Amino acid sequence: MRVIFLPGAAGDGGFWRPLIGLLDWPGLGAVPPSPDVNGFDDLVRLTLHALDEPADLVAQSMGGVVALRVALERPDLVRRLVLVATSGGIDVTGLGAADWRPDYARQFPAARRWIVEQRPDLTSRLAGVQAPALLIWGDADPISPLAVGHRLAALLPRARLVVVPGGDHALARDRARDVAPHVVRHFA
């Protein structure tokens, strides 16, 4: 079984090291830029390039938007999804989400600007995701509050939502012992 882990907007594949980090994204967070990565389309292209056979995708935050795009564009290559604290490409402003962009821009001034400017909307397409999706959320996440997880669970036809009490936006890293058993069960 092949599993690909996708990081969030910080671009740091090390986020997943407690579970197994495999991927850095150029130009995001503190990861050096690449002239070939200028938007979500390029991240989808990079992910698809890494998929030479069907795989399971595990994605956090912005990585969840990329994972869902990959699942929509190449359903034959995505067996299962694990999405953690992501917007999933839906508008989260009416769901109580805090705007992370100003803090991100201050924390990562050298990061490519497209990450705070692009806002993909996958809402109308999510019903087409064929892969079973495990949604893992914390109930203390201001960036992707639990209401976002519930909305995605309603939009994705084969989704199951798990809530980690007290988990925030970094729950997959900081609460890996709580998250890992759910991921293992989903992949069983």
Side-chain angles (χ1 to χ4, degrees):
M1 166 179 64
R2 184 166 184 207
V3 179
I4 295 179
F5 291 79
L6 305 177
D12 178 13
F15 178 93
W16 290 111
R17 285 200 180 96
L19 289 175
I20 300 178
L22 298 176
L23 180 64
D24 286 339
W25 279 347
L28 301 184
V31 180
S34 166
D36 297 336
V37 179
N38 297 297
F40 280 94
D41 290 342
D42 296 324
L43 296 179
V44 170
R45 179 185 45 77
L46 285 175
T47 304
L48 285 169
H49 182 72
L51 292 173
D52 54 359
E53 61 182 299
D56 300 321
L57 301 182
V58 180
Q60 187 265 346
S61 194
M62 185 209 68
V65 179
V66 175
L68 286 165
R69 284 262 321 265
V70 169
L72 287 163
E73 293 180 24
R74 290 295 308 273
D76 57 309
L77 290 176
V78 180
R79 290 185 304 215
R80 290 172 291 224
L81 294 162
V82 174
L83 305 175
V84 182
T86 181
S87 74
I90 65 172
D91 183 1
V92 299
T93 54
L95 298 171
D99 187 2
W100 56 273
R101 289 166 179 83
D103 288 338
Y104 179 87
R106 279 189 296 280
Q107 184 177 1
F108 301 108
R112 303 293 296 272
R113 297 285 39 111
W114 67 262
I115 190 58
V116 296
E117 295 167 354
Q118 293 183 6
R119 297 181 186 205
D121 185 357
L122 303 179
T123 307
S124 65
R125 299 178 60 200
L126 293 179
V129 174
Q130 298 172 17
L134 172 63
L135 309 177
I136 302 177
W137 250 257
D139 62 5
D141 184 351
I143 296 171
S144 186
L146 191 51
V148 176
H150 284 294
R151 178 76 174 126
L152 284 173
L155 290 169
L156 293 165
R158 300 177 67 194
R160 181 174 64 89
L161 176 64
V162 170
V163 179
V164 176
D168 62 15
H169 201 65
L171 73 111
R173 179 190 65 212
D174 299 343
R175 304 277 301 273
R177 290 185 190 276
D178 297 322
V179 170
H182 298 291
V183 175
V184 170
R185 274 193 297 279
H186 185 63
F187 288 163

